[in-house]
């Protein structure tokens, strides 16, 4: 079943958050220019982007990469993970208080509820490539 535009936006935002956590990162510097450029560059080469056409549309229509990436910023609207901008950083937070990034079952659960039918490894690949572009 195809995801609604809103569900696509949320899935990608939560998905990259999941991927970052799987890569050992739960915070990024709030450097919107660098983050946006890294996300947009990474997005263009990600094999699974075709599953989320709304993201392509949003970026083409002028949405910045940071807004797309951190769009899941309300814990009430997120399935597993959400973003918070605090103290010069973008932080990844878990909706569930007992969620642990070290627990493989929690990572797998997050992947199943965020939408898009992708495993943790695919979100981690997106996040890993994003981090590579961010460090350039």
């Amino acid at each position: 079943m195809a995801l609604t535009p809103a569900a696509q936006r949320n899935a990608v935002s939560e998905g990259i958050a999941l991927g970052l956590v799987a890569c050992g990162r739960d915070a990024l510097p709030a450097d919107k220019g660098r983050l946006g450029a890294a996300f947009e560059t990474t997005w263009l080469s990600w094999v699974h982007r075709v599953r989320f056409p709304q993201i392509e549309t949003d970026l083409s229509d002028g949405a910045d990469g940071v807004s797309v990436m951190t769009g899941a910023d309300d814990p009430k609207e997120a399935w597993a993970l959400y973003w918070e901008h605090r103290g010069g950083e973008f932080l990844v937070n878990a909706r569930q208080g007992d969620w642990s990034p070290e627990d493989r079952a929690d990572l797998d659960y997050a992947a199943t509820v965020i939408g898009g039918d992708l495993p943790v490894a695919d979100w981690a690949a997106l996040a890993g490539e994003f981090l590579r572009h961010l460090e350039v």
Side-chain angles (χ1 to χ4, degrees), residues 94-118:
R95 185 171 176 220
Q96 303 296 325
D98 62 348
W99 191 85
S100 171
E102 289 84 31
D103 186 337
R104 184 63 197 195
D106 284 350
L107 294 173
D108 289 338
Y109 173 77
T112 62
V113 298
I114 62 174
D117 296 324
L118 295 174

Side-chain angles (χ1 to χ4, degrees), residues 30-93:
D31 183 339
K32 291 184 177 187
R34 284 184 54 229
L35 293 176
F39 179 80
E40 291 172 35
T41 300
T42 302
W43 182 258
L44 292 174
S45 64
W46 192 45
V47 66
H48 297 296
R49 78 178 194 275
V50 297
R51 293 179 179 223
F52 306 96
Q54 187 59 50
I55 303 306
E56 206 77 24
T57 299
D58 291 349
L59 291 171
S60 295
D61 288 348
D64 66 274
V66 173
S67 296
V68 171
M69 186 176 81
T70 64
D73 60 0
D74 183 346
K76 293 178 182 176
E77 295 179 10
W79 288 103
L81 302 168
Y82 66 96
W83 291 90
E84 179 183 8
H85 183 215
R86 182 173 16 117
E89 291 185 307
F90 286 103
L91 306 171
V92 176
N93 294 307

